[in-house]
Amino acid sequence: MKKLQNELAEKDLSLKSGLVAPIQRRAFLRYASATAAASTLLFMTSCDDDDDKGPMDPMAVDLGSGDTGILNYAYALEQLEAAFYTEVVARSMGVFNQSEQQIMQDLKGHESIHRDFLKAALGSAAIPDLEVNFTSINFSDKNSILTTARTFEDLGVAAYNGAGRFLENAGFLTLAGKIVSVEARHAAVIRDIISNGTFSDTADAKGLDPAMMPAEVLSAASAFITTPINANNLPK
């Protein structure tokens, strides 16, 4: 735990002075949330991508193409994460200690922020609410919850890393970078709860987190999202 706090303290730069500020686990989560919230105005005012969509599959939700498709892809994943942490907070607080309970509430708040401002930015182009299925998760078992949380956070990081480079709008790319930073912090804190001091075990030989293409990510997420999704117009 102390190792993670020290590592995060070294990386958390002051927005005004550029000085390094020591932080605790909850502090870095609050900082991440504030960063995302501060970006909402930029995101909403710059979201003018209105790419034409291909023919809609009547049996599936079509994410669309171009920047709109990538943002809908991110929105789908944020819906999944927000729904998961909502269930955790509603059903599983008893398996966590007081500090961990607050972290779960913070994670729920962050993912809800991501979901809501992506929906607002997309406007009428936003996909509908997706149906999720968490029956494979034992919400009474701490290990089951944390293992799933780690999977979702790692998937989120890999998704943004893989699709972000295809964004054409500079504002979107900036925001994707901010969100993936938050997701990486989430992944780190989940690992620290699982095993104190273990907060990064996915980096490659160059120290980089993995990147996955949309088809791979959606295939992995399909075990938890029951709504059919058409991502044929996304980069492959």
Side-chain angles (χ1 to χ4, degrees):
M1 185 74 69
K2 187 64 175 177
K3 181 179 179 182
L4 174 58
Q5 292 172 347
N6 291 339
E7 179 75 11
L8 293 169
E10 291 173 1
K11 293 183 178 180
D12 189 27
L13 303 181
S14 167
L15 293 176
K16 293 183 178 179
S17 65
L19 298 178
V20 177
I23 53 174
Q24 301 295 320
R25 281 200 305 200
R26 285 195 58 207
F28 90 75
L29 291 172
R30 287 197 300 270
Y31 168 81
S33 180
T35 299
S39 303
T40 303
L41 181 59
L42 170 63
F43 202 176
M44 294 182 66
T45 56
S46 64
C47 188
D48 56 3
D49 187 304
D50 192 23
D51 292 340
D52 292 334
K53 297 179 180 180
M56 294 293 292
D57 180 346
M59 300 301 293
V61 170
D62 193 334
L63 298 180
S65 61
D67 283 6
T68 297
I70 293 173
L71 295 183
N72 265 323
Y73 165 55
Y75 177 43
L77 296 176
E78 297 297 350
Q79 284 193 49
L80 175 63
E81 291 185 286
F84 169 69
Y85 287 113
T86 296
E87 288 294 303
V88 171
V89 170
R91 301 170 56 183
S92 308
M93 290 294 94
V95 305
F96 296 107
N97 63 38
Q98 186 174 0
S99 175
E100 293 165 349
Q101 288 177 12
Q102 186 59 60
I103 289 170
M104 292 299 138
Q105 291 172 347
D106 288 343
L107 295 177
K108 173 192 172 185
H110 295 177
E111 303 299 359
S112 297
I113 288 170
H114 295 167
R115 177 200 62 202
D116 292 347
F117 80 69
L118 281 167
K119 181 178 182 179
L122 283 158
S124 62
I127 60 173
D129 293 345
L130 302 176
E131 295 291 332
V132 296
N133 180 1
F134 296 139
T135 56
S136 63
I137 305 168
N138 182 353
F139 285 96
S140 298
D141 180 73
K142 185 175 182 178
N143 182 65
S144 179
I145 296 166
L146 292 176
T147 299
T148 305
R150 182 178 60 191
T151 297
F152 286 169
E153 299 298 350
D154 287 352
L155 203 59
V157 172
Y160 280 102
N161 285 347
R165 60 196 170 102
F166 297 108
L167 289 168
E168 297 182 0
N169 184 297
F172 299 160
L173 182 58
T174 297
L175 282 157
K178 291 179 181 293
I179 294 176
V180 74
S181 175
V182 175
E183 299 291 347
R185 289 171 183 244
H186 290 178
V189 80
I190 290 296
R191 279 174 168 74
D192 194 48
I193 296 175
I194 293 173
S195 180
N196 188 15
T198 303
F199 58 92
S200 179
D201 56 15
T202 61
D204 61 19
K206 296 180 180 180
L208 302 175
D209 284 321
M212 295 171 64
M213 296 300 289
E216 298 176 274
V217 172
L218 292 174
S219 177
S222 66
F224 304 97
I225 299 176
T226 58
T227 304
I229 294 177
N230 179 358
N232 291 339
N233 294 317
L234 293 187
K236 297 178 175 60

